[in-house]
Amino acid sequence: MALEELGPTFIKLGQLLSTRPDLLPPRYQTELAKLQDGAPPVPGATIRQQIRDELGFEPDEVFADFTLKPLASASIGQAHAATLHDGTPVVVKVRRPDVIPTIEADLDILQNLAVQISHRWEAAADYNLPGIAAEFAQTLRAELDYLQEGRNADRFAENFASDPGVHIPRVFWETTTSRVLTLERIVGMKVNDLTGLDRAGIDRAALAARSAGTAVKMVFEDGFFHADPHPGNLFIESDGRIGLIDFGMVGVVSDKLRGQLGVLLTALVRSDPGRVGSALLDLSVTRQPVDRSRLRADVTRFIALYEGRQLSQIEIGPLITQAIALMRTYHLQMPQELAKLLKMMIMAEGIGVELDPGFNLGEVLAPYVKKLMFSRFAPKELATRIAAAGADAAELAADLPELLRRVVDTLDTGGMEVHLRAAELEPLVGRMERIGNRLVAGMIAAALIGGVGSLTTGDKERWGRWEKPFMRAGLGAGSALGAYLVWTSRRPGGLSR
């Protein structure tokens, strides 16, 4: 409620954090998922002015029909039903005229807060809060640009051009700018309208498999996925075709990320806790040393929960949730794209289970995962990796003489400086303090015994038995006993002996 009151920037921030299980525990995610990106509608006169400023004509001139009452009104923009002159039904998204200055001011505030918190709050030291704030700003600015959303839609349309079961709306570029976006209108039922789907005679089990297959294809084949596939963005047309809308938030799977996922999945399948731990570290960012032996032990217990089961027999949502909880224990922060990917997988499985209680995302994932695992050992992939390693080795060999020259120059001009963190000095300082205390105690004892010895010089019979050997070595009784006490204090048991 506080975030909703603060406005569009903080609503988007809360929505983004609800997709980051590596940063927040489940109860916070559940609460932030309630955020509704709604706002009072913009007056019709303002919408007219926006279209006139952007397209150069009145809405009634650009479109055969334009409804000023919005279909939906959000914090960044609102959607209006319209019809092109050729009779094509479209949806026109119009950005609110005053949203940019507010969002830019809020983003500055968030960036400043992130820097201050990272310096003043010990718990925040494990996370790169300024970096997270910068990522959020980049994501939000991209969502503000309707030209970028249009390009995203075109890319999805190209990726699914050969799939008649998926409908990506067409972008009408002649009536699209950075503040106005015109898309083909998708007409159908929401994917979670179970009664409507049954009434239309649509096989929900088959639909669950197809919708999940669409999401998995985006990740493992296209490397470009819809990062917000909630039920409000998926429509099922009367013939069963899946219609997808809202392309403001997308994710990209790079070759590097795909390879890292392949390493992790291979290690999971082979029940190799050491490789799983290393893969988790490679996939994440941490600002503090990680106890690898402890991580390996925790990963071993985690893997034991799924040992002996095929991927098709595993519920992916709980698997991801437990892995993320493990990462959060060690303060391992995921890259933004990986967080989007995992959240999308959890949402895809949730939709599938809602459509068909017997649905298992692992069955859909298994062929892609198997292909990804084998691709890592394909001759072409191995050749690429060997070539890359050879290039790195050649570059290192070329740079080696210069690096050696720098080392020699450094040694000739005063040597090297070693910098230690305060945490690394604490054990050393503590040990030095203990040794110092023992030395002081020994010196005081030596002085005391020396004084006592001078007062009891008449009792040679009592002291002479042990003083004479030390006297031959040039040591007085007090100094000898003092040295003995120092030596004793350093042995196990200390002065208590």
Side-chain angles (χ1 to χ4, degrees):
M1 290 170 65
L3 292 174
E4 286 177 348
E5 186 177 344
L6 284 168
T9 308
F10 293 89
I11 290 172
K12 292 295 181 182
L13 175 64
Q15 290 174 337
L16 178 66
L17 289 175
S18 73
T19 69
R20 295 300 300 266
D22 58 319
L23 299 178
L24 294 177
R27 62 195 184 97
Y28 281 91
Q29 291 178 260
T30 301
E31 180 64 24
L32 292 176
K34 299 174 185 176
L35 280 166
Q36 298 299 311
D37 190 11
V42 177
T46 304
I47 294 297
R48 282 183 176 276
Q49 185 62 46
Q50 282 283 87
I51 292 178
R52 189 163 51 242
D53 291 344
E54 290 297 302
L55 304 181
F57 299 95
E58 293 286 343
D60 296 338
E61 297 177 86
V62 178
F63 304 99
D65 179 61
F66 188 91
T67 305
L68 285 175
K69 183 180 180 182
L71 294 169
S73 181
S75 57
I76 290 178
Q78 60 189 42
H80 295 261
T83 306
L84 298 179
H85 288 291
D86 64 1
T88 302
V90 295
V91 171
V92 183
K93 295 177 68 172
V94 183
R95 198 174 70 196
R96 289 176 175 269
D98 57 349
V99 74
I100 294 293
T102 301
I103 287 178
E104 288 298 336
D106 287 344
L107 290 176
D108 285 342
I109 292 170
L110 280 174
Q111 189 68 43
N112 288 328
L113 282 174
V115 172
Q116 293 292 330
I117 291 172
S118 64
H119 290 320
R120 299 172 184 270
W121 186 24
E122 185 177 352
D126 298 329
Y127 301 98
N128 179 16
L129 293 186
I132 294 172
E135 284 184 352
F136 169 66
Q138 181 181 3
T139 299
L140 185 54
R141 289 188 179 112
E143 195 169 342
L144 289 169
D145 183 3
Y146 286 161
L147 288 174
Q148 182 60 51
E149 183 174 347
R151 288 190 287 268
N152 292 340
D154 274 355
R155 185 170 175 180
F156 281 117
E158 182 180 350
N159 291 340
F160 286 96
S162 61
D163 188 348
V166 177
H167 185 186
I168 305 296
R170 175 187 169 190
V171 181
F172 294 92
W173 288 105
E174 60 274 14
T175 53
T176 292
T177 70
S178 62
R179 295 195 293 175
V180 174
L181 173 63
T182 305
L183 292 165
E184 177 188 4
R185 186 172 182 182
I186 300 289
V187 179
M189 299 164 284
K190 286 187 177 182
V191 71
N192 61 347
D193 182 4
L194 305 185
T195 302
L197 293 173
D198 290 339
R199 191 182 301 119
I202 293 175
D203 185 341
R204 286 197 276 124
L207 177 61
R210 286 196 297 115
S211 63
T214 299
V216 173
K217 174 188 179 298
M218 290 180 187
V219 173
F220 291 100
E221 290 187 14
D222 306 331
F224 185 72
F225 61 92
H226 195 300
D228 194 24
H230 62 74
N233 288 335
L234 271 77
F235 290 88
I236 309 303
E237 299 176 342
S238 57
D239 59 355
R241 187 166 57 162
I242 299 171
L244 197 60
I245 67 168
D246 195 354
F247 309 99
M249 187 182 294
V250 297
V252 177
V253 182
S254 64
D255 290 339
K256 179 181 178 181
L257 178 57
R258 188 182 286 109
Q260 290 171 328
L261 287 172
V263 172
L264 176 60
L265 293 169
T266 302
L268 277 171
V269 170
R270 293 180 177 178
S271 298
D272 185 343
R275 292 292 297 274
V276 171
S278 297
L280 287 176
L281 291 174
D282 289 341
L283 277 168
S284 57
V285 179
T286 180
R287 306 190 74 182
Q288 65 178 21
V290 175
D291 186 341
R292 286 178 175 264
S293 60
R294 182 179 160 217
L295 175 61
R296 180 187 176 94
D298 286 342
V299 169
T300 301
R301 286 190 288 271
F302 167 65
I303 291 177
L305 298 174
Y306 301 96
E307 194 168 4
R309 284 192 278 173
Q310 300 293 326
L311 186 61
S312 59
Q313 301 171 322
I314 297 174
E315 293 182 54
I316 300 300
L319 171 67
I320 293 175
T321 301
Q322 289 165 347
I324 291 172
L326 182 62
M327 295 178 73
R328 192 166 56 245
T329 299
Y330 290 88
H331 304 288
L332 303 179
Q333 178 189 334
M334 290 186 292
Q336 185 181 31
E337 297 304 307
L338 178 60
K340 288 180 184 177
L341 189 158
L342 296 181
K343 181 63 176 180
M344 187 269 277
M345 287 294 180
I346 292 174
M347 295 174 73
E349 183 172 60
I351 290 174
V353 171
E354 189 170 7
L355 289 170
D356 173 21
F359 173 77
N360 187 340
L361 181 60
E363 294 180 3
V364 181
L365 272 174
Y368 291 94
V369 171
K370 185 177 181 180
K371 182 178 178 181
L372 182 61
M373 290 169 56
F374 280 112
S375 68
R376 295 190 62 249
F377 303 101
K380 183 178 179 181
E381 177 66 19
L382 288 174
T384 301
R385 286 156 59 189
I386 291 172
D392 290 342
E395 186 175 350
L396 178 61
D399 292 341
L400 190 58
E402 175 65 17
L403 293 173
L404 290 174
R405 185 187 65 77
R406 291 180 186 177
V407 171
V408 172
D409 290 345
T410 301
L411 294 174
D412 287 343
T413 56
M416 296 179 289
E417 295 182 1
V418 178
H419 299 270
L420 296 175
R421 292 189 291 268
E424 296 170 336
L425 289 173
E426 288 179 1
L428 181 60
V429 171
R431 185 177 178 187
M432 291 175 66
E433 287 178 348
R434 290 193 298 272
I435 293 173
N437 291 338
R438 291 166 181 168
L439 285 171
V440 170
M443 292 170 65
I444 293 173
L448 177 63
I449 295 171
V452 172
S454 66
L455 293 174
T456 58
T457 52
D459 194 357
K460 292 291 184 178
E461 184 175 336
R462 181 153 48 112
W463 292 94
R465 286 194 302 271
W466 56 269
E467 186 179 17
K468 288 178 181 179
F470 290 104
M471 291 293 289
R472 295 192 196 103
L475 297 173
S479 298
L481 186 55
Y484 172 77
L485 287 172
V486 172
W487 172 76
T488 303
S489 70
R490 298 183 63 180
R491 298 182 65 189
L495 291 173
S496 63
R497 294 169 59 89

